[in-house]
């Protein structure tokens, strides 16, 4: 595109028409964007080029196409796209500002002409334009855009380069002077429009700011009820925040020094002179920190330690080194920007107002992808839209934001100061009213305390349980006199003592580190040496401050150990004897005990002594009744056990007698069986010999041989004799088992074979174990280990086996009757060696059945005397109880029962192999 100076009337008319339309649009519309869009359309129509656009510069030198008009899409649209600052170098922008240079570029001839603004007042010739070869990069840049000719006119607002009016054409073309003058006139009108738009924007912003300030001021100056929370929310919204905090002094007037506490003193951790209002998102203060409030961190006091109380605008919390201590509170949030507004009135800080903005994600549309490195020295080959995403970007505070915050802070500070003065007057009035009422309350308190004494006495008398009495007394007295702790102290025979009752009042001013609890022992040497000291004379002792009472250092050390600062001790007499003390303690600080309080504690101590005496009498009576009942139960159990023992002894004697009586004839039969067998064999041999010698006997002999069936007798008689021997052997074994079970000759402890006792017991119970027509038998499985002889009372141990086996058989029979398809009944006996009581060798016997099992609540009582689950007449409830005594008490063993309902029950009997002190 080259410059020419053709002139025609038609061109001038068209130029004036376009300028007129643009001027009218500026006057008719206050919307700058609408004006700019219309301008591009009119200029493109006037010039007849393919594209006209308006490019606006940003503060960082980059820019954006904000208005565009394209003819029949002959060039691609660049509307809305951003261009980096490097696309228009700094020296070029300087020429646009200083000389108002208009630039004309012809890509085909690779020439660029630059015409300063001052030359338009005279006739322009070719010599007026400074031509030079265009940079190769510039040519490639425009070629990549599809542009063959270009005209650029700067848009100046004030003294700043606001933007550019650019005309592009896809073919080479010449630019006439009228066109260049027309574009200059257009940019001058645009400068006017931009100035009007900014003035309008500023006016709107000012009106909106004043409305916001008025709205907040209305909320703040509505005494006597100042409304700070809505004012805070309105401030946060006005400043575009996502959250905010208002931290102000509260009840900070010091009546002692007649002045307000400083904000720094009010912010000391633990102070209750701070009021905090919050809204929206908040920083998360870490746990276990001494600063529960953000405003308590020292960074703010350090920043505002001088009298200069200006707003601190922090665009990015994480780039401010001085905020490292508070950054951890913001890390769990999306808060990125902070506006700290100090509220000061007459150079005195009254609070902090802070507003937070969260980080945002930005998206910028660039005309082609750019690189922030050395590759940018080459022109871009494509202007296709490239989206640049940036996450976590701060929202910066503007001067307008800071100015608005400054004006709002003045209203906040003034309102807070006025409210503090109002609170001061209100507190003065309240104090005066309190003084008037205090005397009245003191007069009423005496009557109320007397009623309280009767109330406590009535509650004490509601129970005769000593622990309940202590709990009731300490709690009621503590609540009535507002003490930190009330305890009951009981003397021991050596005039030491321990705490037997204690009640501690909950208080935020101190923690329970006094180490006084129930059963805490405290031996006071003074009380021990004087056998109760002043309290023997029924004297109540009150101390307002332990450091002012003249105590010895050792006594003070004792009181400090229990964190006691003041106390009242009243004696408790049971009858005429000093029993203990009723103690009222103050841990949180000194206390001036009133005479009415001391008298109240003394009266309660006297009534407590009466209650203790009555409770002791009741306890003694109950103990006597309990002892008599226990003795009666023991007598009953002893009688029943004697009966059971006598039964077992009688059964043993009967068994032994029967065994003895059977043993004599059985021994006689057994001793003669061998002779009978010998005689029978001799007779049969004689008969056989006679038949051999006399083969032809008489008819009578033949007849008798046939009648008696001599041949059968000859065959069967030896068999009968053999059967008789087997039967006699069986009888002898039974007799031996009966004698072994009774053990009458073994009343003393001696070493016996445990397996023989088990087998003897099973033999006696064989009639219940073997199969019968009405029911199948019980399978007995024996897994005997290699046990040595065991020291025991054999007869008593056999009694244990009898009880356990009998219960197992009863359980299996009950299970068979209650189950439609019972499993095969089994009793499993297992013996083994074990260790008991510090590695003492022991014999372990497991006896298990596969019956229905025993419920858990029954197992807990299975060894109790007289406890039974059998029907009436089936059991006494003493079998397992006596067995337990035999195993545990007499044999120093273990007797346990385990059961799984539905699977069976197992008894474990374990006794030492050798009993300590047993007879050898």
């Amino acid at each position: 595109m080259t410059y020419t100076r053709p002139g025609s009337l038609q061109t001038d008319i068209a130029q004036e028409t376009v300028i007129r339309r643009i001027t009218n649009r500026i006057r008719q519309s206050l919307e700058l964007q609408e004006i700019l869009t219309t301008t591009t359309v009119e200029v493109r129509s006037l010039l007849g080029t393919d594209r006209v656009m308006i490019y606006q510069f940003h503060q960082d030198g980059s820019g954006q196409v904000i208005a565009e008009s394209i003819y029949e899409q002959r060039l691609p649209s660049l509307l809305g796209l951003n261009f980096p600052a490097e696309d228009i170098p700094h020296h070029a922008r300087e020429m646009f500002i200083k000389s108002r240079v208009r630039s004309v570029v012809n890509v085909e001839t690779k020439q660029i002409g630059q015409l300063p603004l001052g030359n338009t007042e005279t006739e322009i010739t070719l010599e007026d334009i400074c031509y030079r070869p265009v940079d190769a990069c510039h040519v490639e840049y425009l070629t990549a855009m599809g542009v063959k000719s270009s005209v650029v006119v700067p848009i100046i607002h004030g003294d700043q380069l606001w933007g550019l009016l650019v005309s592009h054409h896809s073919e080479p073309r010449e630019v006439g002077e009228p066109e260049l003058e027309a574009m200059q006139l257009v940019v001058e009108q645009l400068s006017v429009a931009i100035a009007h738009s900014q003035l309008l924007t500023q006016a709107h912003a000012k009106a909106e700011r004043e409305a916001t300030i008025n709205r907040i001021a209305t909320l703040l100056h509505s005494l006597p009820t100042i409304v700070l929370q809505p004012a805070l929310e309105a401030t946060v919204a006005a400043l575009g925040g996502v959250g905010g905090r208002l931290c102000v002094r509260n009840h900070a007037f010091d009546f002692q020094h007649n002045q307000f506490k400083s904000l720094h003193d009010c912010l000391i951790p633990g102070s209750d002179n701070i009021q905090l209002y919050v809204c929206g998102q908040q920083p998360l203060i870490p746990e276990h920190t001494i600063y529960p409030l953000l405003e308590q961190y020292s960074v703010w006091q350090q920043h505002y330690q001088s009298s200069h109380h200006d707003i601190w605008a922090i665009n990015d919390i994480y780039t401010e080194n001085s905020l490292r201590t508070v950054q951890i509170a913001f890390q769990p949030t999306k808060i990125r920007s902070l506006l700290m507004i100090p509220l000061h009135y007459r150079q005195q800080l009254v609070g902090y107002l802070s507003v937070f903005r969260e980080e945002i994600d930005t998206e910028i549309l660039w005309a082609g992808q750019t690189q922030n490195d050395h590759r940018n020295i080459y022109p871009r080959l494509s202007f296709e839209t490239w989206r640049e995403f940036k996450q976590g970007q701060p929202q910066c505070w503007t001067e307008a934001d800071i100015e608005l915050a400054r004006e709002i802070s003045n209203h906040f500070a003034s309102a807070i100061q006025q409210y503090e003065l109002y609170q001061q007057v209100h507190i003065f009035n309240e104090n005066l009213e309190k003084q008037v009422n205090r005397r009245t309350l003191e007069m009423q308190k005496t009557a109320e305390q007397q009623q309280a004494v009767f109330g406590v006495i009535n509650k004490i008398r509601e129970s005769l349980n000593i622990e309940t009495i202590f709990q009731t007394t300490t709690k009621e007295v503590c609540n009535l006199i507002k003490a930190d702790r009330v305890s009951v102290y009981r003397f021991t025979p050596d005039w030491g003592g321990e705490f037997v009752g204690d009640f501690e009042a909950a208080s935020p001013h101190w923690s329970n580190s006094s180490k006084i609890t129930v059963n805490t022992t405290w031996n006071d040497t003074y009380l021990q040496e004087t056998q109760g000291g002043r309290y023997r004379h029924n004297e109540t002792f009150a101390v307002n401050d332990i450091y002012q009472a003249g105590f010895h250092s050792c006594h003070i050390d004792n009181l400090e150990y229990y964190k006691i600062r003041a106390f009242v001790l009243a004696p408790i007499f049971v009858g005429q004897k000093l029993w203990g003390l009723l103690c009222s303690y103050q841990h949180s600080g000194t206390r001036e005990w009133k005479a009415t309080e001391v008298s109240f504690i003394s009266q309660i101590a006297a009534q407590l002594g009466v209650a203790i005496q009555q409770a002791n009498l009741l306890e003694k009576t109950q103990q006597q009744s309990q002892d008599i009942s226990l003795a009666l139960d023991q007598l009953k159990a002893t009688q029943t056990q004697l009966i059971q023992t006598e039964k077992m002894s009688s059964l043993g004697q009967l068994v032994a007698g029967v065994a003895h009586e059977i043993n004599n004839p059985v021994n006689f039969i057994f001793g003669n069986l061998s002779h009978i067998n010998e005689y029978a064999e001799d007779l049969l041999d004689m008969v056989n010999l006679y038949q051999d010698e006399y083969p032809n006997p008489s008819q009578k002999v033949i007849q008798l041989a046939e009648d008696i069936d001599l041949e059968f007798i000859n065959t069967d008689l030896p068999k009968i004799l053999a059967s008789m021997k087997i039967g006699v052997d069986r009888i002898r074994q039974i007799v031996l088992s009966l004698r072994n079970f009774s053990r009458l000759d073994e009343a003393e402890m001696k070493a016996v074979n445990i397996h023989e006792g088990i087998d003897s017991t099973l033999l006696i119970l064989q009639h219940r174990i073997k199969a019968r027509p009405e029911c199948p038998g019980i399978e007995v499985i024996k897994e005997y280990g290699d046990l040595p002889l065991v020291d025991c009372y054999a007869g008593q141990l056999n009694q244990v086996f009898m009880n356990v086996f009998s219960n197992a058989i009863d359980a299996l029979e009950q299970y068979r009757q209650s189950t439609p398809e019972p499993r095969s009944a089994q009793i499993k006996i297992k013996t083994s060696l074990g260790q008991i009581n510090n590695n003492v060798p022991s014999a372990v016997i497991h006896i298990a059945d596969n019956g229905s099992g025993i419920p858990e609540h029954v197992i807990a009582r299975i060894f109790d005397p007289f406890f039974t689950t059998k029907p009436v007449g089936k059991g006494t409830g003493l079998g397992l109880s006596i067995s337990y005594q035999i195993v545990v008490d007499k044999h120093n063993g273990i007797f346990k029962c385990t059961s799984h309902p539905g699977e069976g029950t197992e008894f474990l009997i374990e006794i030492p192999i050798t009993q300590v002190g047993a007879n050898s």
Side-chain angles (χ1 to χ4, degrees), residues 803-805 807-808 828 830 845-849 854 862-863 880 895-898 905-909:
N803 289 331
V804 174
F805 285 134
N807 283 335
K828 185 176 181 180
K830 180 180 179 181
I845 303 106
H846 297 267
I847 302 174
D849 64 68
I854 304 174
I862 199 168
F863 297 122
L880 290 178
F895 193 24
K896 293 194 300 186
C897 175
T898 57
T905 304
E906 179 179 353
F907 284 88
L908 180 142
I909 303 169

Side-chain angles (χ1 to χ4, degrees), residues 617-675:
L617 290 174
L618 176 64
E619 184 178 359
K620 185 177 180 181
T621 303
Q622 290 176 340
Q623 184 62 41
Q624 291 176 347
S625 175
Q626 213 170 30
D627 293 342
I628 293 172
S629 177
L630 182 61
L632 184 61
D633 290 341
Q634 289 178 347
L635 179 60
K636 184 178 178 182
T638 303
Q639 289 176 342
T640 307
Q641 186 172 351
L642 287 173
I643 294 172
Q644 185 71 10
T645 304
E646 186 62 28
K647 285 182 179 180
M648 293 303 298
S649 177
S650 300
L651 177 61
Q653 291 177 359
L654 176 62
V655 169
V658 171
H660 180 71
E661 292 300 326
I662 294 174
N663 191 48
N664 287 336
V666 166
N667 285 339
F668 174 76
I669 294 171
F670 182 78
N672 289 312
L673 271 178
S674 59
H675 300 297

Side-chain angles (χ1 to χ4, degrees), residues 3-273:
Y3 174 75
T4 59
R5 190 180 174 88
S8 67
L9 180 61
Q10 184 178 2
T11 302
D12 293 340
I13 294 174
Q15 176 180 329
E16 291 179 1
T17 302
V18 169
I19 298 302
R20 191 182 304 111
R21 284 202 297 266
I22 293 174
T23 303
N24 291 336
R25 176 64 68 179
I26 292 173
R27 293 174 179 175
Q28 293 173 2
S29 176
L30 296 176
E31 294 294 333
L32 180 61
Q33 185 60 44
E34 181 181 350
I35 295 171
L36 296 178
T37 302
T38 302
T39 300
T40 57
V41 174
E42 295 292 345
V43 172
R44 188 199 56 76
S45 176
L46 172 66
L47 300 179
T49 56
D50 294 335
R51 176 171 59 203
V52 172
M53 62 184 184
I54 295 177
Y55 179 88
Q56 182 182 6
F57 286 100
H58 298 153
Q59 289 184 352
D60 61 355
S62 64
Q64 182 183 21
V65 176
I66 61 173
E68 180 186 62
S69 177
I70 300 175
Y71 178 69
E72 294 182 355
Q73 304 301 318
R74 296 189 62 182
L75 287 175
S77 175
L78 299 177
L79 183 63
L81 300 184
N82 289 268
F83 291 79
E86 293 78 7
D87 282 17
I88 301 177
H90 180 72
H91 69 273
R93 293 197 294 272
E94 289 292 327
M95 291 179 61
F96 284 134
I97 296 172
K98 294 179 179 180
S99 303
R100 305 293 197 267
V101 169
R102 291 158 292 178
S103 176
V104 180
V105 178
N106 190 323
V107 175
E108 189 174 48
T109 62
K110 298 181 181 181
Q111 291 289 317
I112 179 171
Q114 294 177 335
L115 181 65
L117 179 61
N119 294 339
T120 58
E121 297 177 358
T122 60
E123 182 178 348
I124 300 175
T125 64
L126 293 176
E127 289 76 10
D128 295 328
I129 302 177
C130 298
Y131 282 99
R132 62 176 176 82
V134 67
D135 292 339
C137 288
H138 196 169
V139 172
E140 293 181 18
Y141 186 89
L142 293 175
T143 301
M145 277 189 177
V147 175
K148 295 295 184 180
S149 59
S150 168
V151 179
V152 178
V153 180
I155 302 173
I156 305 298
H157 173 60
D159 294 330
Q160 301 295 322
L161 179 62
W162 184 90
L164 301 173
L165 177 62
V166 182
S167 172
H168 285 161
H169 199 64
S170 59
E171 298 294 337
R173 72 184 293 271
E174 294 181 351
V175 179
E177 179 186 356
E179 295 178 358
L180 207 56
E181 291 177 351
M183 292 181 69
Q184 183 61 44
L185 291 174
V186 167
V187 298
E188 290 173 357
Q189 293 297 322
L190 287 178
S191 296
V192 174
I194 292 169
H196 288 174
S197 176
Q198 289 193 351
L199 288 174
L200 180 62
T201 301
Q202 291 173 359
H204 285 167
K206 183 177 180 181
E208 185 178 353
R209 183 178 65 187
E210 291 177 351
T212 299
I213 293 172
N214 291 335
R215 184 169 64 255
I216 295 173
T218 302
L219 294 172
L220 291 173
H221 296 287
S222 56
L223 285 174
T225 56
I226 183 172
V227 186
L228 292 176
Q229 183 67 32
L232 171 63
E233 295 172 358
T235 301
V236 172
L239 292 171
V242 296
R245 299 166 65 92
L246 176 62
C247 181
V248 297
R249 296 186 306 193
N250 183 47
H251 298 294
F253 187 75
D254 186 353
F255 289 93
Q256 184 177 358
H257 299 92
N258 198 30
Q259 64 181 7
F260 283 98
K261 296 180 182 179
S262 68
L263 180 62
H264 177 71
D265 293 338
C266 293
L267 284 171
I268 295 175
S271 171
D272 56 357
N273 297 124

Side-chain angles (χ1 to χ4, degrees), residues 777-904:
I778 299 174
E779 180 185 3
V780 179
I781 302 173
K782 300 178 183 178
E783 296 181 4
Y784 288 165
D786 187 10
L787 292 182
L789 298 181
V790 179
D791 289 343
C792 65
Y793 296 101
Q796 294 182 10
L797 201 58
N798 288 342
Q799 183 180 350
V800 174
F801 294 148
M802 175 67 75
N803 289 331
V804 174
F805 285 134
S806 297
N807 283 335
I809 294 170
D810 290 341
L812 290 171
E813 289 180 350
Q814 184 181 1
Y815 171 69
R816 183 186 298 118
Q817 294 172 2
S818 61
T819 306
E821 297 182 359
R823 53 181 171 265
S824 176
Q826 289 182 348
I827 295 178
K828 185 176 181 180
I829 308 165
K830 180 180 179 181
T831 63
S832 61
L833 284 173
Q835 289 183 339
I836 187 175
N837 298 335
N838 299 324
N839 300 326
V840 175
S842 63
V844 183
I845 303 106
H846 297 267
I847 302 174
D849 64 68
N850 63 343
S852 58
I854 304 174
E856 186 176 352
H857 69 279
V858 174
I859 289 182
R861 300 186 57 196
I862 199 168
F863 297 122
D864 293 350
F866 308 108
F867 177 76
T868 180
T869 58
K870 297 177 182 178
V872 177
K874 293 288 186 180
T876 63
L878 287 172
L880 290 178
S881 176
I882 293 173
S883 299
Y884 186 86
Q885 294 177 6
I886 292 172
V887 174
V888 177
D889 297 339
K890 293 191 175 183
H891 289 86
N892 300 316
I894 297 173
F895 193 24
K896 293 194 300 186
C897 175
T898 57
S899 180
H900 301 283
E903 298 181 9

Side-chain angles (χ1 to χ4, degrees), residues 672-687:
N672 289 312
L673 271 178
S674 59
H675 300 297
I676 294 174
N677 188 54
E678 183 180 348
Y679 297 158
E681 289 180 357
D682 290 343
L683 287 175
L684 290 176
D685 290 342
M686 183 65 185
V687 171

